[in-house]
Amino acid sequence: MCGLAGIVRPAAEGVPVSEDALMRMARSLRHRGPDGFGLLLDEGAGLVSSRLAIFDLHRGWQPLVSPANDSAFVYNGEVYNHPELRAELTAAGEQFATTSDTEVVHRMLEREGLDALDRFNGQFAFAWWQPRHRRITLVRDRFGVRPLHFAHLPDGSLAFGSEAKALFASGEISAQADLDGIDDVFTLWGARPPRTAFAGVRQVPAGGVVIWEQGQIVAERRWWKPRYGEDPIAQEEDLEALLRDSVRLRLRADVPVGTYLSGGLDSSLLTALAQEETEGELRTFSVAFRDRRYDERAQQEQVAAAIGTRHVVVEVGASDIAGAFPEAVDHAETPLIRTAPAPLLLLARAVREHGITVVATGEGADELFLGYDLFKEVELRTLARSDPRRAEALLDEVYSYLGSAARRGPAFRRFVLETGADDVLLGSHLTRVQATATVKSLYDPGVREAAGERSLERLRAELPAGFSGWKQLDKASFLEVSTLLETYLLAAQGDRVAMASGVEGRYPFLDHRVFAHAAGLPAGMKLDGLEDKRPLRSLAARVLPESIASRPKQPYRAPEVAPFFEAGAPAWVEESLAPESLAATGIWDAGRVEGLIRRCRAGRAEGVREGMALVGVLSTQLWHRAFIGSAARTYPKETTEPRVRIDRTLKLSTRKAR
Amino acid sequence: MTQNSEVVRREMRAFIEENFLYLQPDLKLSDEQDLLAHGVVDSLGFVELVEEVQGRFGITVEDVEVTEENFGSIDAIVAFVHRKRAG
């Protein structure tokens, strides 16, 4: 796991790529790879890597150069089946200088081109430089676990990097806000790739490939797309065997691997399977909240005891969240609508302090096996057409954790059962969109007019061909995977806050074989009435105590208003919300925000919508101050800088045709 | 309506303006306007409204009384409080 970056020019002659610029890019990503920097300079091109050593700790340096000296490669991630691929290649006569997966991936690409991607089981982002064609190929894994950003510059050059901050560190592009990207955040929780919150900075989408040649982007396509629909072959696969194999592969590392344990079904199942595959004691980690309304400590400790792991609880209070929030925004590089990334940033820091750099975690299970309440709402909206009373009763059951249904009155039922009922494309997600939209009510009127409904219009326009004919729950799952999972859960709440401390998250439920199996099952086998994730529960019943296997979903949430309005809240909160600060950012209507602040100060803003609105405003202010409204950051050489390997002016061969 | 009802009306309007209308400052809310249909209150806002009526006017609202008929507009709230006090 690493950070990668680079710059390529349209021609070998002309403006060279600056070594200083490349080193600034590497330093900006040092949190992703604290173990070493590697730099390669070619004519009109340069690649850098900041490395977190997981495989072949002593030799796995990057950038890698092919044996024929005709291509170079920087890579962030893991291809878990690399030993099997290496064996195939060795049998075919290939020789390797390292035992790292990086070399296997590079060699596969050299031999098979992008067809090799289908063979990779893992999570990765890479840049593959082929100077003979002056071509760079940027690729991202199927679900977008690992990030990859790029900017096509006015002179045709391409700058790229794991994170946007590497692009800004290059000095070749400055940070500007992209209103459409920001509005995506306040509609769908994250900017939908290729868009980002920055103008001119794009992301390679999940399962995407971007090819640049001689100054032009010549291809942008998906090498993998999530496919849904009942598939008899996929159904025949044995979920237990698939998941066990996925876990086994994701425990491969030359360093110890731990797991995150939320206390819910998915992480418990994953941890139980991981323990069975682990020789000795498995390390598990969880966040606990001082505020008992959010705390799942008892469940977490019960699971750890039942499985027999060595468990560490990281207790987080309101002041911890407020303290870590600016750092979480800085790593996420986007406005946020939840504080939830901040506790996970603190958790990853603790994991690192305990000497663990790789953790397996349960993301993806709810999306694939229909665990979220949102999927149940889809079913209840259908039921409400024929039996509204029954639908209301079941709805009250789904949301029993919110307190007395009767006290919530008619508004809640009407909101859930009617919102989106007539929208055949996005109906499943309009309750979330509407709940999130409170933050948009705080927009400056000009911003509100400019943003309009364009975020949803773009989403509608980019749905797969034939989407309207898909089954309801397949549509909902697809939307969840391609909006919330990709743009938020795996990014701001996943890679970014873990890699802030150089901790790599691994996702066994996002093995593409597990996905194909889940997507090929009839929806009724996954969600029947209110009984969700049925195949996982069935498997869990065989490996976990019954009380854990049947545990209902509890959404992971963190306190949202209290951290910023309790006594002793950091001074930046008040500064950020001052009318002149709001005016400088240019997104918010100061008068409306003042109304929200009054409610927060009075302790009245206890609802989800106002919590999201406050976090939206605060994070936008922090994000703007960190990236847009201040001078570009400098990344001087550090006294504690890790070892740097530099291949100066390698002059990669452009003659040898392959 | 009695003078007391006018107090209820004035106080509830002030409460709604202070706590909900900051999101829609351009909305000219009339007393008979549907609070839910106009998005003035959402489901949590509805709960807050009920609790405010209980606390502010010292009445007990039964679960079966948490309806749009009783809380759907300022007029509805005024009439509900009047009935409860009379009752």
Side-chain angles (χ1 to χ4, degrees):
Chain A
M1 188 55 55
C2 307
L4 64 87
I7 302 168
V8 287
R9 306 268 186 234
E13 316 77 38
V15 183
V17 173
S18 145
E19 183 178 322
D20 283 348
L22 290 168
M23 283 308 298
R24 286 196 304 273
M25 296 170 94
R27 287 185 192 111
S28 76
L29 298 174
R30 187 179 172 184
H31 53 279
R32 299 186 70 86
D35 297 330
F37 291 154
L39 179 149
L40 180 144
L41 270 175
D42 191 16
E43 291 172 322
L47 312 179
V48 282
S49 150
S50 63
R51 180 172 181 234
L52 174 65
I54 287 175
F55 287 118
D56 199 349
L57 309 188
H58 300 296
R59 290 177 300 173
W61 283 90
Q62 297 184 36
L64 273 185
V65 176
S66 60
N69 209 41
D70 62 354
S71 86
F73 187 65
V74 277
Y75 167 79
N76 164 210
E78 315 291 345
V79 165
Y80 303 112
N81 59 335
H82 73 98
E84 290 77 12
L85 297 172
R86 173 186 297 270
E88 279 182 33
L89 292 171
T90 304
E94 293 282 354
Q95 294 183 323
F96 293 92
T98 74
T99 58
S100 76
D101 61 329
T102 312
E103 196 179 11
V104 173
V105 172
H106 187 200
R107 198 68 57 82
M108 288 282 289
L109 290 167
E110 288 282 313
R111 289 173 63 96
E112 300 177 17
L114 295 177
D115 288 347
L117 294 171
D118 292 331
R119 305 287 313 281
F120 298 156
N121 185 345
Q123 50 193 43
F124 48 82
F126 64 74
W128 178 29
W129 170 234
Q130 295 167 288
R132 183 164 65 89
H133 305 287
R134 289 207 76 71
R135 174 195 298 151
I136 196 144
T137 304
L138 306 178
V139 172
R140 207 163 162 214
D141 62 70
R142 294 173 178 85
F143 292 96
V145 174
R146 304 276 78 104
L148 187 52
H149 294 69
F150 64 98
H152 195 196
L153 305 174
D155 71 349
S157 298
L158 193 81
F160 57 91
S162 295
E163 300 180 13
K165 53 178 68 71
L167 307 187
F168 305 138
S170 74
E172 308 236 352
I173 179 172
S174 61
Q176 304 290 331
D178 183 287
L179 178 58
D180 284 342
I182 293 169
D183 192 56
D184 267 1
V185 176
F186 299 135
T187 307
L188 301 162
W189 295 32
R192 261 185 342 109
R195 196 174 295 282
T196 71
F198 300 109
V201 176
R202 302 163 71 191
Q203 306 179 64
V204 180
V209 54
V210 174
I211 303 174
W212 172 101
E213 263 182 34
Q214 302 175 48
Q216 304 290 325
I217 290 177
V218 297
E220 280 188 274
R221 61 173 186 267
R222 305 279 181 136
W223 65 270
W224 186 87
K225 294 176 187 170
R227 293 192 194 287
Y228 287 84
E230 293 178 30
D231 177 351
I233 297 171
Q235 287 173 30
E236 278 179 20
E237 295 279 354
D238 176 38
L239 176 63
E240 179 170 355
L242 286 175
L243 206 48
R244 282 186 184 279
D245 196 55
S246 172
V247 169
R248 180 183 66 83
L249 290 178
R250 281 160 183 77
L251 292 176
R252 284 178 167 173
D254 294 342
V255 294
V257 179
T259 70
Y260 279 171
L261 198 50
S262 72
L265 173 75
D266 311 328
S267 66
S268 302
L269 175 57
L270 153 65
T271 299
L273 297 179
Q275 176 67 81
E276 288 182 28
E277 290 288 336
T278 302
E279 285 182 23
E281 199 173 42
L282 180 69
R283 305 288 301 273
T284 51
F285 300 87
S286 63
V287 169
F289 290 103
R290 227 161 276 155
D291 185 336
R292 297 291 165 182
R293 288 173 297 175
Y294 301 89
D295 192 51
E296 294 181 81
R297 180 180 343 215
Q299 293 92 324
Q300 293 157 355
E301 288 174 346
Q302 183 201 2
V303 176
I307 299 173
T309 68
R310 188 170 152 208
H311 188 58
V312 171
V313 174
V314 177
E315 189 184 74
V316 174
S319 60
D320 302 314
I321 292 171
F325 192 63
E327 201 182 337
V329 171
D330 197 58
H331 282 285
E333 300 184 319
T334 171
L336 300 168
I337 54 101
R338 284 278 162 101
T339 55
L344 289 171
L345 181 131
L346 297 170
L347 178 64
R349 184 173 294 160
V351 167
R352 181 90 191 182
E353 285 165 4
H354 280 84
I356 301 290
T357 52
V358 180
V359 285
T361 174
E363 277 78 1
D366 284 313
E367 292 81 356
L368 271 55
F369 292 96
L370 308 179
Y372 290 128
D373 292 340
L374 172 150
F375 299 118
K376 299 182 184 101
E377 290 176 5
V378 170
E379 294 290 79
L380 294 180
R381 274 193 284 276
T382 305
L383 177 63
R385 291 198 177 110
S386 57
D387 190 350
R389 284 285 172 81
R390 174 86 181 130
E392 287 182 0
L394 290 174
L395 180 68
D396 292 345
E397 198 177 315
V398 170
Y399 288 104
S400 57
Y401 61 84
L402 293 179
S404 162
R407 302 308 284 181
R408 290 198 300 278
F412 184 74
R413 290 173 180 160
R414 185 196 282 186
F415 171 65
V416 175
L417 295 177
E418 293 181 6
T419 304
D422 300 324
D423 189 327
V424 294
L425 297 178
L426 307 182
S428 58
H429 279 64
L430 293 188
T431 48
R432 181 185 295 152
V433 168
Q434 284 202 14
T436 308
T438 298
V439 67
K440 297 201 210 193
S441 308
L442 304 172
Y443 277 166
D444 171 85
V447 170
R448 190 161 47 248
E449 189 177 345
E453 296 290 320
R454 297 226 309 269
S455 179
L456 289 184
E457 288 164 12
R458 285 193 299 273
L459 177 57
R460 279 182 212 283
E462 293 166 16
L463 293 169
F467 184 76
S468 63
W470 290 18
K471 297 241 167 79
Q472 293 259 45
L473 286 168
D474 286 346
K475 287 185 216 171
S477 175
F478 172 87
L479 288 172
E480 196 67 351
V481 166
S482 56
T483 61
L484 192 82
L485 181 71
E486 178 182 351
T487 74
Y488 174 70
L489 292 178
L490 292 177
Q493 200 172 296
D495 172 272
R496 300 310 190 86
V497 286
M499 291 308 292
S501 297
V503 171
E504 171 182 313
R506 295 184 174 183
Y507 304 91
F509 292 106
L510 293 178
D511 184 307
H512 63 284
R513 300 167 304 171
V514 177
F515 174 83
H517 172 72
L521 293 175
M525 286 181 69
K526 293 174 274 192
L527 175 64
D528 185 11
L530 300 186
E531 196 188 337
D532 59 9
K533 295 192 282 196
R534 294 176 69 220
L536 291 183
R537 290 195 188 281
S538 166
L539 170 54
R542 299 198 286 276
V543 297
L544 286 166
E546 201 276 335
S547 60
I548 300 170
S550 60
R551 183 167 283 163
K553 173 87 187 157
Q554 178 168 339
Y556 164 66
R557 282 190 57 204
E560 261 133 17
V561 174
F564 307 113
F565 285 92
E566 279 192 349
W572 61 259
V573 175
E574 197 159 335
E575 290 162 19
S576 301
L577 297 175
E580 57 273 20
S581 300
L582 294 166
T585 307
I587 304 281
W588 308 111
D589 180 309
R592 296 180 187 210
V593 172
E594 179 55 36
L596 175 63
I597 296 169
R598 272 200 313 271
R599 298 254 308 154
C600 292
R601 289 212 172 103
R604 283 193 169 276
E606 292 193 334
V608 172
R609 293 174 186 229
E610 286 179 307
M612 290 196 286
L614 175 72
V615 173
V617 174
L618 277 176
S619 61
T620 305
Q621 295 298 101
L622 290 168
W623 171 82
H624 192 273
R625 189 173 69 180
F627 292 98
I628 316 280
S630 54
R633 293 182 208 184
T634 56
Y635 294 93
K637 189 172 190 314
E638 301 167 45
T639 51
T640 58
E641 199 150 275
R643 193 155 66 104
V644 183
R645 189 193 74 169
I646 299 179
D647 298 314
R648 287 181 196 284
T649 317
L650 195 70
K651 291 194 178 171
L652 293 173
S653 168
T654 57
R655 292 190 301 276
K656 186 159 183 162
R658 288 185 67 92
Chain B
M1 288 281 168
T2 64
Q3 189 182 357
N4 276 347
S5 289
E6 287 315 305
V7 172
V8 172
R9 185 182 305 280
R10 195 168 60 243
E11 291 192 6
M12 286 315 295
R13 170 171 283 282
F15 174 77
I16 290 167
E17 285 178 352
E18 168 77 6
N19 288 285
F20 303 119
L21 281 182
Y22 74 90
L23 291 169
Q24 302 183 59
D26 303 331
L27 180 69
K28 303 287 178 236
L29 184 70
S30 63
D31 288 352
E32 71 277 12
Q33 231 164 351
D34 186 330
L35 297 171
L36 286 176
H38 286 84
V40 175
V41 295
D42 61 11
S43 55
L44 264 173
F46 202 84
V47 175
E48 201 175 332
L49 207 53
V50 173
E51 287 175 357
E52 185 66 21
V53 167
Q54 284 198 128
R56 187 178 286 260
F57 304 117
I59 57 176
T60 302
V61 180
E62 305 297 334
D63 284 355
V64 292
E65 294 171 327
V66 183
T67 62
E68 278 185 86
E69 289 71 35
N70 293 336
F71 291 92
S73 67
I74 292 175
D75 276 347
I77 294 169
V78 170
F80 175 71
V81 173
H82 181 73
R83 280 199 306 278
K84 288 293 280 189
R85 282 175 165 171

